[in-house]
Amino acid sequence: LLPPLLLLLGRPGLGAPGQGAGTWSRFARLPYPQDQLFLHDTFPDGFLWGAGSAAYQTEGGWRQGGKGASVWDTFAHRPATPPGAAPPGPAGGDVASDSYNNVFRDVEGLRRLGVSHYRFSLSWARLLPNGTAPPNPAGLAHYGRLLGRLRELGVEPVVTLYHWDLPQALQDAFGGWASPVLPRLFRDYAELCFRHFGGQVRYWLTMDNPYVVAWHGYGTGRLPPGVRGGPRLGYLAAHHLLQAHAKVWHLYNDHFRPAQRGKVSIALSSHWIKPQHMTEKNIKECQKSLDFVLGWFAKPIFIDGDYPESMRSNLSSLLPEFSEAEKKYLKGTADFFALSFGATLSFQLLDSHMKFQQLESISLRQLLYWINSEYNNPQIFIVENSWFVSGTTKKDDAKYIYYLKKFIMETLKAIRYDGVNVFGYTVWSLLDGFEWHRGYSIRRGLFYVDFQSHDKKLMPKSSVLFYQKLIEKNGFPPLPENQPIEGIFPCGFAWGIVDNYIQVDTTPTQFLDSSVYVWDVRQTKKLFKVDGVYASKRKHHCVDFAAIRLQVSLLQEMHVTHFHFSLKWSLILPLGNLSLVNHTLVHYYQCFASELLRVNITPVVALWQPMIENQELPVSLAKYGAWENTETVQAFVEYARFCFTSLGDHVKFWITMNEPSVKNLTYTAGHNLLKAHAKVWHLYDKEFRRSQKGKISIALQADWVEPACPFSRNDQEVADRILEFDIGWLAEPIFGNGDYPEVMRAWLHRINGVDLYNFHLPYFSEDEKKLIQGSFDFFALSHYTTTLVGSEKEDAVKYDHYLEVQMINDITWLHSPSRAAVVPWGLRKLLKWVKSKYGDVPIYVMANGIDDGQNMVHDKLRVYYIKNYINEALKAYTLDDVNLQGYFIYSFNDKTAPKYGLYSYVANQYEPKPSLKHYREIIGNNGFPGPETPELLCPEEVASCPECRFFRTRKSLLAFISFIFVAFIVTVFFITYYSKRVERRYK
């Protein structure tokens, strides 16, 4: 089913030149973030799935079987390259993947994938070594063997007649495509192919990407034949390429179609472009950019036989003219629209001048919609699409997988949402090969080829498994785990909000000023202070802090049951010890907590949370080693004792340390930090728990880590290693066995053993292990996002040499303005992982949130984030039996956590964002109840304020006082009543 707004916007009708210009505004109006969500659905029945390759990229055998030289052979062998051209590599395509000698190897790869079709190209120079007759019998036999094997497997061939490898003889004799003779010679070559192979081929492509052949072969000279003829020669070569295509189409249509019943088209490549700004001028420039690249060839073929009007008006005499007869002959010479999109042209071979100062993009879906609108809703066959990985990548090609996933999902959306008629998809390529101007520096194959080996065996990459399963399922069918569930959380579930540090304003109100003022009502109308005269001072009250009243009232609006914030150690004890105490600040914290309790909000208080400046430690401690210094451990214990004594009557929910950052923590500092936590936990347990009846633990940051290639054992090992270093480092000693994870010790021993690093993980004594193990009352975690990790180095910027891990991005995921990935299911996996490692421990999600941008549309992302992350938490509680006790949103407001707040802060005013209302609704429903959800009757909770305890513990005394008071009232009533009766009697 289409999203409602997509239905409202509608699908494109009959197209015409210029109608594609509506594409940008249409996609700008689609609902956010719904339109960007991954679409779980399947492709239409009979959808074609295939893989492709090109002769020069994979065949090799350049001197075998009587093959003639092609322009690419010559280009690769010349000693020097022209200015601006990239050398193709030391060997070019001489051997490449050696497919000429490994037909059955390649076809076996196709069988393993389960594809319906295989796109490959014929080498013109192998079939006609001199470019013209006579044909080469060995070449005819080679392609006959390939077609015969494909027929045996039931794989449909999609055959390209010309994929850039023009016979060198034709270039030498006629100047290649700069000559008007070439269209006739190309027709003769095509006739040979149709006669010999046409009975086994239903899909023909005359040529591939004529833009690259014309512009870079004859204009810029970047590619073979390397002619630097400038724009005029480039446009002339394109003119001849179009004429050649038309001749071949008419040849097939007139002489071969009745018997062979095949279809013929041309593989056109395109980029996608988006406007710098959504203005009419910029959109026109984007339209022009597509006209100059794709429309250059598509409009003459699919519309009217002539070039786009934008080219005609901008290029004047540079662009050749078609006669009326030629236009008629060219128009309609394609039986379907064959589209090539991906790494060959995009960001590589697209001439920068043809961007017209707009921004190149890789949105396949929008390009498909544009083609649909511009060219009258043609049947589209995607005959080449993918991205690339580094030339050093061998097996786990995660980057390639996620680009593939993105492109295929966008194709599915184009079909299901936009009504575009796409009937087939071809991944590029079947196997690694020679990548044109980039040589062997990148790889685009599903199968890995070791180019240095003799036998050139194929090794399936992770992308083979991905594509194989996708073909089996015909897309991305909905899975039960992807569906939201109905249900509610238990009674007493903690619904909270986080503010790292509350707004502290200890400025007294005017009512605390004991001075006396006189108002000059006659002249100045001002107040004047009377010197030496003072009123009696009154006692300080919590209501004197206006900042507290405001913050508490905002929290009440949320309907939360808990509020989590951190104390500032550096301000409470500026010298790091009790010699100097900021009593005003302590009183402020006492008042804040008591005011929260008064409105039935439970304060959740962290003793310490690291910040950038001095790690939020007192300066005296930060200056002398911070957590590297064991004295900080004892200082933290004394600080905690002071806080428990001063605030313990108001606070029953303590966090020793909130989100200590393991990324910035040395092993020695982490060691001391764990001991400090444990000592504080035992201090509370022994000296304060009985009287204060609270609970205490540590809160760890815990983002989920997922193997980038789900089928890769290596990637799974990397993910496990990162989880232990990121979470297990501090969690295992406390919640596990009292010591660091074995994975950490083994890894550090390995890297220290080869002297790459000198990091030593300290050891705990047996007493210290006993002290730390079990020092918790619950497992508190902060979770924001999910990260993909891989084992193969792909991007040096995102590669961690220390842990030998490559960070990968799934570009199909939603991302916030700061590029944080929105992956709700990561929270569920994390909660299950914690339970599997540490048992049925009570768990609190102490912080979970996403940033927004200046545009309020991003709060729609937060609405989605909150709803779906909480629903995944509900799945963990309901389906996985995780002992989840509470969930806290990060963050309270934008003033203290810019871009993360549920309240914006503008011009000294707090304004609720729409996401606040949604969170409040979830709290009110205690989850996501449905019609079948049983009603949960929870007992009313009594506000747990310290002042109330005075009355609860003195019930007998209160009853006696109440009796005396009632008796007094009754006595006064009777005395008054009878006194009046006596008065009336005497009167």
Side-chain angles (χ1 to χ4, degrees), residues 215-245:
W215 192 253
H216 291 302
Y218 295 87
T220 68
R222 284 187 65 188
L223 299 179
V227 179
R228 302 178 68 192
R232 185 178 299 277
L233 192 61
Y235 291 124
L236 181 62
H239 202 70
H240 296 150
L241 285 163
L242 280 166
Q243 291 173 331
H245 159 77

Side-chain angles (χ1 to χ4, degrees), residues 174-180 182-183 210 213-215 218-219 229-244 296-297 307 311 315 317-322:
F174 304 104
W177 290 108
S179 169
L182 259 288
V213 175
W215 192 253
Y218 295 87
R232 185 178 299 277
L233 192 61
Y235 291 124
L236 181 62
H239 202 70
H240 296 150
L241 285 163
L242 280 166
Q243 291 173 331
W296 184 3
F297 301 92
Y307 297 115
M311 294 185 74
L315 298 175
S317 61
L318 282 176
L319 203 61
E321 295 279 348
F322 287 115

